[in-house]
Amino acid sequence: MAERIAGPEIERLIQLLARLPGLGPRSARRAALHLIRKREELLAPLADALNTARERVVSCSICGNVDSCDPCTVCRDERRDRKLLIVVETVADLWALERAGALAARYHVLGGCLSPLDGIGPEELNLAGLVARVADDGVKEVVLAVNATVDGQTTAHYVTDLLAHLPVRITRLAHGVPVGGELDYLDEGTLIAAIRSRTDF
Amino acid sequence: MAERIAGPEIERLIQLLARLPGLGPRSARRAALHLIRKREELLAPLADALNTARERVVSCSICGNVDSCDPCTVCRDERRDRKLLIVVETVADLWALERAGALAARYHVLGGCLSPLDGIGPEELNLAGLVARVADDGVKEVVLAVNATVDGQTTAHYVTDLLAHLPVRITRLAHGVPVGGELDYLDEGTLIAAIRSRTDF
């Protein structure tokens, strides 16, 4: 019986919701019921928002961010320091840094990191665009804000080599204890990095 | 800066996704990016599925299930035992029992449970429909498959009183150790119930 609980329309909605990250089959069913219960307050606006996003969201031709305008809101923002370029792996990383609001700089989204095991080589990443921007665009410092993973660090080294012939300072994010973190729960690599990069108190 | 990461279209999509159960602000952003990346494979079909659900999904006028037809697939199913009626609080509970496939019966969805603190009294539940069905529809047994919470049990007692004048057997779900459960992690109420309802091995 389990295969015919509801009509095909609801089953299809559940299947699609279950493909969202963070939702499994069970929570997708819960989400579908929630949507059906709140048809006018949530289901209809969400359908409209998805249709709008489908029609209007584009990749920024400069940095690779996604937005409803090209160049994106971040690239258009004149208050940002044009000498500073933050290189990130994904749009999610760009958004995370923007939420933190640490630096009013511009970004360059690589679209992933080098990962030979997953078949991602330099051709799959937006590296040509990065070299062109750094060479032409008055950039003085490139911050490599890639993940602190093996693949991320491999990518950082590759980008550093690519930019070696250009008169630009290349920096990376600091390693250390996360703010609010407890030493007891941290891995040894992080603790060693935090000790080595210790600063005056 | 944080308020202007992306255009209003994306922000609105994130806000709506964050209102789904199981998705918080952070996972809603991840889901939105995932949808934008998979525009043709996921975003477009999901928008279509939501539009279809918005137009076609209705409440079953007999049992209160949601489906694209009225009466719903479950009520239309002629193979089910018409003498057995399972009373559930919500459509989610109906689906859970159908997935388990424990009993080929029909259902009655109350639409919640009595909860004085939340202002939910008998008028808010589909109780009149239940009494009418039990009285007219040849029902011999009503299974009270309500939650094992205080409110659920209050509702069960209320329903029992409502049906007391009708010649119908009223049963409830067994309490006991969940299949696969470990005694060490169970609360005392469940253990006491499991001991009291012990069966021959």
Side-chain angles (χ1 to χ4, degrees), chain B residues 98-185:
Chain B
E98 275 299 290
R99 282 200 302 282
L103 211 52
R106 292 182 304 152
Y107 294 87
H108 190 84
V109 181
L110 293 177
C113 59
L114 295 177
S115 178
L117 284 177
D118 298 327
I120 300 178
E123 307 74 37
E124 274 70 46
L125 304 182
N126 183 13
L127 290 166
L130 174 63
V131 176
R133 283 182 80 184
V134 174
D136 303 340
D137 223 7
V139 174
K140 299 291 179 212
E141 178 179 347
V142 172
V143 185
L144 298 175
V146 292
N147 289 333
T149 56
V150 171
D151 286 347
Q153 297 308 304
T154 308
T155 311
H157 283 114
Y158 191 89
V159 170
T160 307
D161 288 347
L162 268 186
L163 301 177
H165 65 290
L166 294 167
V168 67
R169 183 183 170 205
I170 298 179
T171 56
R172 67 162 176 80
L173 298 183
H175 289 308
V177 181
V179 175
E182 295 180 49
L183 298 197
D184 196 20
Y185 292 96

Side-chain angles (χ1 to χ4, degrees), chain B:
Chain B
M1 277 189 296
E3 73 279 9
R4 288 290 291 149
I5 294 173
E9 292 84 358
I10 297 178
E11 288 297 334
R12 173 138 180 85
L13 178 60
I14 294 171
Q15 278 168 18
L16 288 167
L17 286 170
R19 288 171 55 192
L20 291 178
L23 287 184
R26 191 174 288 260
S27 45
R29 272 193 297 269
R30 234 167 12 114
L33 276 174
H34 188 75
L35 283 164
I36 290 167
R37 256 202 316 270
K38 299 198 178 283
R39 190 178 308 218
E40 293 311 317
E41 309 99 288
L42 188 54
L43 192 153
L46 182 58
D48 295 341
L50 285 168
N51 275 324
T52 308
R54 172 189 192 172
E55 285 157 21
R56 305 210 25 204
V57 171
V58 290
S59 266
C60 175
S61 55
I62 298 177
C63 75
N65 189 12
V66 292
D67 205 337
S68 42
C69 48
D70 180 20
C72 72
T73 311
V74 172
C75 284
R76 279 166 193 260
D77 185 350
E78 291 295 335
R79 292 164 304 175
R80 287 166 190 267
D81 187 348
R82 298 180 67 84
K83 296 192 290 298
L84 257 172
L85 190 64
I86 305 179
V87 174
V88 292
E89 294 181 20
T90 64
V91 174
D93 299 335
L94 187 164
W95 290 6
L97 287 167
E98 275 299 290
R99 282 200 302 282
L103 211 52
R106 292 182 304 152
Y107 294 87
H108 190 84
V109 181
L110 293 177
C113 59
L114 295 177
S115 178
L117 284 177
D118 298 327
I120 300 178
E123 307 74 37
E124 274 70 46
L125 304 182
N126 183 13
L127 290 166
L130 174 63
V131 176
R133 283 182 80 184
V134 174
D136 303 340
D137 223 7
V139 174
K140 299 291 179 212
E141 178 179 347
V142 172
V143 185
L144 298 175
V146 292
N147 289 333
T149 56
V150 171
D151 286 347
Q153 297 308 304
T154 308
T155 311
H157 283 114
Y158 191 89
V159 170
T160 307
D161 288 347
L162 268 186
L163 301 177
H165 65 290
L166 294 167
V168 67
R169 183 183 170 205
I170 298 179
T171 56
R172 67 162 176 80
L173 298 183
H175 289 308
V177 181
V179 175
E182 295 180 49
L183 298 197
D184 196 20
Y185 292 96
L186 280 176
D187 64 293
E188 291 164 22
T190 303
L191 285 174
I192 291 169
I195 288 280
R196 285 196 184 143
S197 308
R198 66 194 178 278
T199 55
D200 289 316
F201 189 69

